[in-house]
Amino acid sequence: MPPAFRFRLLATDGAARCGEISTPHGAVATPAFMPVGTQATVKGLLPEAIRLAGADILLGNTYHLMLRPGAERVAALGGLHKFMNWPHAILTDSGGFQVMSLAALRKVEEHAVIFRSHLDGTLVELSPERSIEIQTLLGADIAMQLDECVRLPAPAADLERAMRLSLRWAERSRRAFEAAPAGRALFGIVQGGDDPELRLASASALVDTGFHGYAIGGLAVGESPAVMRATIEAVAPALPVDRPRYLMGVGTPADLVEAVARGIDMFDCVLPTRNGRHGLAFTRRGPVVLKNARHAEDPRPLDEESPCAAARDYSRAYLHHLVKAGEMLGAILLTTINLAYYQELMRAARAAVVAGQFEAFRAQTVGLWEQGDIPPR
Amino acid sequence: MPPAFRFRLLATDGAARCGEISTPHGAVATPAFMPVGTQATVKGLLPEAIRLAGADILLGNTYHLMLRPGAERVAALGGLHKFMNWPHAILTDSGGFQVMSLAALRKVEEHAVIFRSHLDGTLVELSPERSIEIQTLLGADIAMQLDECVRLPAPAADLERAMRLSLRWAERSRRAFEAAPAGRALFGIVQGGDDPELRLASASALVDTGFHGYAIGGLAVGESPAVMRATIEAVAPALPVDRPRYLMGVGTPADLVEAVARGIDMFDCVLPTRNGRHGLAFTRRGPVVLKNARHAEDPRPLDEESPCAAARDYSRAYLHHLVKAGEMLGAILLTTINLAYYQELMRAARAAVVAGQFEAFRAQTVGLWEQGDIPPR
C-alpha cells in the first residue's frame, strides 16, 4: 500500500507555514513550488534534472494531456508518472483554466464547458465528472476540481456567477472523486475574483463540502500585486489550518515570498521555465537578461554562490552566446537555473519558518533583489 | 605540462585498427566518433551527457565560432574547452567546408577564401594562416588545414585544381602551425574527389610535408557508398600506419563500419544529432522513425538492451508523443540515444579489432540492421 495523502503542519511563524504533504508518490516539503510539465514534460529538462533542482512535485496540464496523447492512452501505458518517468508526486489541474485561455469557441454551460481543441478543432466537452475521470486516469496524486476562472477586472455579477457555478462543480467533483483509488487527494478552488465577500462565501461553502486541500484560483489574471496580496489575506484565514493551501498560477519570486508570508503552502507557475527559454535568469540578485550585450565578454558565472551547478559552471559570456545563437542548451541551462532558484527560495522559506526567522528572511531576500545584479569587477 | 599529442596503434585485424590518441585534454580511443558541437554546443546536450554517452572528443566548427562569438573572444574567455565546459579533447575543422556550404558570395583565391557571413553579411577573408590562428585561439587539441572541398560529381580539372590548391594551403598551414603551443596536432587533408590517381598524389605530397594525422576530405558530398568505399580503399594504404586517419563528415552507422574495415580511425558527422532532433533514432536494429503512428501506444522502450538509459527508461509511446508535440525533450532524448549508439558501435568495433573478431562483428552488426526493428509482442 503506498502512503495516503496527508498534510502535517510542522511550524508556523506569523502567518507563514512550513509543512509536509505525504502522497502515494513521496513527500512534498511545503512551501512547495511545482514546475509545470504541460505536455508530460517540463520543457527541456530530463526528469532527473527536475529532481536535482529540488522539486518534490510537478504539475501536469489536464487540458493538454486529454487532447494529446489522451488520458485513456496514458492510463493504458501505466499512468503519467510512468509515462514521463517521474516517480515523484504529481498534481494535475482540472483543465478549466487552459480551456479559457487556449481553446476556441468555448462555451460554459451548467453541465460542462464545451470547446474546440486548439490542435485540430475537435469539439470536446469537459464536465466536472470527466475532469476527475481524466485526472484519475492520469494517476494524479492531487486532483483539482473543475472551476471557471474569470479574468480581472470583471463585473461583480460575472464574478459571482462564475463563483457559484464553480461551487456547484466543486460538489459534483467531490462526488465523482469518490470513485478514485484510495490515498489520492482532491482540492477545491476558491473563486470570487477581487471581491472579498465573494471569496469568503466561496471558501466557506468549499470547507463545508470538505476537501483534502484548498486552492485560491482566479489570481495572476490581470490584477495588481496589491489586489493579489489583499485577496490572499482575506481568504487564507478562512481555510482550515490542517489542510494545504495552493495559490494557482503564481508567480514571481516576490509573489511567492509575499504569499508564503500570508499562509500559502503551494505554488505553480510557468515563469521560471518560460522565461528561461527566453533568456531571462532569476537570481538572488533579481532577474538577469542574458541577451544584454553587457554579458558578452563577462567570464563570471551567473552566481558563483548558487547551489545549482548550471549557475556556477558556465560563464555569462557563454550563456549570452547560447541565447544569441538560439541554442537549445541556453534554454536548458536557464530553465535549470530558474527552477533551482525557485526551489532554493522555497527551501530557505521553510528553514526560516522553522527557525522563527521568516521576517528576517523576507527582508534579506527582498533587500538582495533590490541591490540588483552583481556588478562586474 | 599536459601530455602532448601522440598516437599508439594497439591492434589491427585485417585493415581495421584499434588505437589511442593522447591529447593535452585526455585520451581518445580509436576508432572514435566525434559529436559535432557546431556553435560551442552539441545541440541540446549538457557536456556531462555527451561524456556519459561515451565521447572522448568533440568537433568544433571554426566557421561558426569565428563569426560568433569570435575566436579572440573565446581565447579571452580561456579557450573553447573552458567556454563550453568540456574538459576533454576538441578537434576543430578549418572552416573551409562550411564556407562552401553556408556562406554567400564565396570566392576562392590563391591567398584565401573570401565570403560573406551568413549571419550579417560581413565580408570575411579566411586564409590558411588565419584558419590556423583561429584554431589556435580556440585551443583545439587537433587543428585541420584549410582545404577546398568540391561537391561530387565534378569535372576532373576542377578536382585537380582544388586538390593542388589544398596542397599549397597544406604547406602554408604547416608553417603557420609552428607558432602553436607545444603538444597540439595538425592534420593534413587528402583531396582529389573520386579520382584515385589524384587522391594518391594528394596523399603522397601531404605525407612528404608531414602531419600528425591525415584526413580524407571531400567525401559524403554526393557520391555513392561504393565510390566512398573505393576511395578509402585507395587512400588508406598510402597513409602512414603510425598516424591517425580521419574520414571527415561521415556518416551512417554502415558508413562507419565499412570505413573502419578499411583502416579509418576517426569520424565526425551531424547525422546522429540532426536526425535525433527530427525524430529518428539509430538502433542496433536499424533506424526507427518515432513519429510513425505504430509507436503511439507501444509501451516498450526503444531498446531494452541498450547501455544508454534514455533508450531503456522511456517508452516508444512517450518518445512518439514528445516528437509529435514538438517538445525539446524528444530532441534531447533522441540525440542522447543516437550519440550513445554511435559510441557503442565504435566501442564494439575497438573490442572486435582487439579480439581479432572484426569480420564477425561486422557480419553480426549488419545482420541485426537488416532484421529491422524489433516487432511488437
Side-chain angles (χ1 to χ4, degrees):
Chain A
M1 266 302 270
F5 180 89
R6 186 184 161 204
F7 177 67
R8 286 190 302 154
L9 187 61
L10 301 175
T12 58
D13 184 8
R17 298 146 52 97
C18 174
E20 187 179 76
I21 299 172
S22 301
T23 81
H25 291 88
V28 178
T30 65
F33 178 78
M34 302 184 280
V36 178
T38 305
Q39 303 193 98
T41 161
V42 174
K43 291 187 191 304
L45 293 204
L46 290 163
E48 52 263 41
I50 306 164
R51 182 63 173 164
L52 198 65
D56 293 330
I57 181 168
L58 289 187
L59 179 138
N61 284 127
T62 283
Y63 172 83
H64 285 96
L65 295 169
M66 71 185 282
L67 297 181
R68 182 174 59 195
E72 278 72 12
R73 178 173 294 171
V74 172
L77 291 162
L80 187 56
H81 296 83
K82 187 172 176 196
F83 187 59
M84 64 186 293
N85 193 25
W86 172 259
H88 314 291
I90 296 177
L91 177 147
T92 47
D93 63 12
S94 69
F97 183 80
Q98 255 109 19
V99 168
M100 310 301 167
S101 56
L102 291 177
L105 289 173
R106 62 189 178 278
K107 197 173 153 198
V108 179
E109 300 189 347
E110 182 65 30
H111 175 65
V113 53
I114 296 148
F115 62 94
R116 288 202 182 275
S117 159
H118 73 293
L119 294 177
D120 61 4
T122 313
L123 202 64
V124 183
E125 182 180 290
L126 185 65
S127 66
E129 292 78 12
R130 177 61 182 156
S131 175
I132 295 298
E133 182 180 37
I134 290 168
Q135 296 180 72
T136 302
L137 285 164
L138 294 173
D141 299 289
I142 304 175
M144 303 300 299
Q145 69 150 103
L146 188 67
D147 61 339
E148 186 190 353
C149 178
V150 177
R151 207 158 282 279
L152 292 174
D158 286 5
L159 291 173
E160 174 151 15
R161 189 201 50 74
M163 184 274 275
R164 299 282 170 205
L165 178 66
S166 295
L167 282 181
R168 293 191 294 278
W169 286 0
E171 290 277 357
R172 286 166 58 186
S173 300
R174 180 79 184 71
R175 281 197 299 276
F177 192 74
E178 285 164 15
R184 299 184 188 176
L186 175 67
F187 283 22
I189 305 178
V190 178
Q191 288 289 357
D194 51 3
D195 181 329
E197 281 187 38
L198 290 182
R199 286 282 180 180
L200 288 176
S202 172
S204 165
L206 288 170
V207 172
D208 286 348
T209 303
F211 288 89
H212 298 95
Y214 297 88
I216 304 179
L219 289 180
V221 290
E223 80 287 359
S224 69
V227 167
M228 182 193 289
R229 289 167 198 184
T231 305
I232 300 167
E233 275 174 30
V235 173
L239 299 174
V241 293
D242 62 347
R243 302 290 156 99
R245 303 160 182 173
Y246 162 28
L247 180 59
M248 302 184 79
V250 175
T252 64
D255 289 335
L256 265 59
V257 170
E258 294 309 314
V260 169
R262 289 161 176 82
I264 298 296
D265 306 306
M266 301 166 70
F267 303 91
D268 79 284
C269 193
V270 295
L271 278 183
T273 41
R274 181 174 294 163
N275 278 309
R277 294 198 300 283
H278 293 113
L280 184 140
F282 290 105
T283 78
R284 286 185 304 130
R285 305 286 292 248
V288 175
V289 177
L290 268 308
K291 206 164 187 170
N292 284 350
R294 72 180 173 96
H295 302 295
E297 301 187 332
D298 193 336
R300 297 173 306 145
L302 201 50
D303 183 356
E304 63 193 351
E305 293 177 33
S306 169
C308 171
R312 296 189 314 266
D313 292 351
Y314 300 86
S315 65
R316 288 160 178 252
Y318 185 61
L319 295 171
H320 170 83
H321 166 70
L322 293 175
V323 170
K324 289 272 283 185
E327 281 286 352
M328 264 197 285
L329 188 59
I332 293 167
L333 290 172
L334 291 172
T335 299
T336 305
I337 287 167
N338 288 350
L339 285 183
Y341 179 68
Y342 269 61
Q343 297 297 345
E344 171 61 17
L345 194 62
M346 294 296 93
R347 189 205 59 72
R350 293 192 296 266
V353 170
V354 169
Q357 298 288 326
F358 188 79
E359 278 314 312
F361 156 78
R362 174 157 67 162
Q364 190 188 20
T365 301
V366 172
L368 269 174
W369 290 334
E370 286 172 353
Q371 281 182 37
D373 193 13
I374 310 156
R377 270 185 291 257
Chain B
M1 262 307 266
F5 180 89
R6 186 182 160 206
F7 177 66
R8 285 189 303 153
L9 187 61
L10 301 175
T12 59
D13 184 8
R17 298 146 52 98
C18 174
E20 187 180 78
I21 299 171
S22 301
T23 81
H25 291 88
V28 178
T30 66
F33 179 79
M34 301 182 281
V36 178
T38 304
Q39 303 193 100
T41 161
V42 174
K43 291 187 192 303
L45 293 203
L46 290 162
E48 51 264 43
I50 306 164
R51 182 62 173 165
L52 198 64
D56 293 330
I57 180 167
L58 290 187
L59 179 138
N61 283 128
T62 284
Y63 172 84
H64 286 96
L65 296 169
M66 71 186 282
L67 297 181
R68 182 174 59 195
E72 278 72 11
R73 179 174 294 170
V74 172
L77 291 161
L80 187 56
H81 296 83
K82 186 172 178 194
F83 187 58
M84 63 187 292
N85 194 24
W86 172 259
H88 313 290
I90 295 177
L91 177 147
T92 47
D93 63 12
S94 70
F97 183 81
Q98 255 109 19
V99 168
M100 309 302 167
S101 56
L102 291 177
L105 289 173
R106 63 189 177 278
K107 198 173 153 198
V108 179
E109 299 189 348
E110 182 66 30
H111 174 64
V113 54
I114 297 148
F115 62 93
R116 289 203 182 274
S117 158
H118 74 292
L119 294 177
D120 61 5
T122 314
L123 202 65
V124 182
E125 182 179 290
L126 185 64
S127 66
E129 291 78 13
R130 176 61 180 156
S131 175
I132 294 299
E133 182 181 37
I134 290 169
Q135 296 179 73
T136 301
L137 285 165
L138 294 173
D141 299 289
I142 303 175
M144 303 299 300
Q145 69 149 104
L146 188 68
D147 62 339
E148 186 190 353
C149 178
V150 178
R151 208 158 281 279
L152 293 174
D158 286 5
L159 292 173
E160 174 152 15
R161 188 200 51 73
M163 183 274 276
R164 299 283 171 205
L165 178 66
S166 296
L167 282 181
R168 293 191 295 278
W169 285 1
E171 290 276 357
R172 287 167 55 188
S173 300
R174 181 79 184 72
R175 280 196 300 277
F177 192 75
E178 285 164 15
R184 299 185 188 175
L186 175 67
F187 282 22
I189 304 177
V190 178
Q191 288 289 356
D194 51 4
D195 182 328
E197 281 187 38
L198 290 182
R199 287 282 182 180
L200 288 176
S202 172
S204 166
L206 288 170
V207 172
D208 286 348
T209 303
F211 289 89
H212 299 94
Y214 297 88
I216 304 179
L219 289 179
V221 290
E223 79 287 359
S224 69
V227 166
M228 182 194 287
R229 290 167 196 182
T231 305
I232 300 166
E233 275 173 31
V235 173
L239 298 174
V241 293
D242 63 345
R243 302 289 157 100
R245 302 160 182 173
Y246 163 27
L247 181 59
M248 301 184 79
V250 174
T252 65
D255 289 336
L256 266 58
V257 170
E258 294 308 314
V260 169
R262 289 161 175 82
I264 298 295
D265 306 306
M266 301 166 70
F267 304 91
D268 79 284
C269 193
V270 295
L271 277 183
T273 40
R274 181 174 294 163
N275 278 310
R277 293 198 302 282
H278 293 113
L280 183 139
F282 290 104
T283 79
R284 285 185 306 130
R285 305 284 293 246
V288 175
V289 177
L290 269 308
K291 204 164 189 171
N292 285 350
R294 72 180 174 96
H295 303 294
E297 301 187 331
D298 193 337
R300 297 173 306 144
L302 201 51
D303 183 357
E304 63 192 351
E305 294 176 32
S306 169
C308 172
R312 295 190 314 266
D313 292 350
Y314 300 86
S315 65
R316 287 159 179 253
Y318 185 61
L319 296 172
H320 171 83
H321 165 70
L322 293 175
V323 170
K324 289 273 283 186
E327 281 286 352
M328 264 198 284
L329 188 59
I332 293 167
L333 290 172
L334 291 172
T335 299
T336 305
I337 287 167
N338 288 350
L339 285 183
Y341 178 67
Y342 268 61
Q343 296 297 345
E344 171 60 18
L345 193 64
M346 294 295 93
R347 190 204 58 73
R350 293 192 296 266
V353 170
V354 169
Q357 299 288 326
F358 188 80
E359 278 313 313
F361 157 77
R362 173 156 69 162
Q364 191 189 19
T365 301
V366 173
L368 270 173
W369 290 333
E370 286 172 353
Q371 281 180 38
D373 194 13
I374 309 156
R377 270 186 290 257

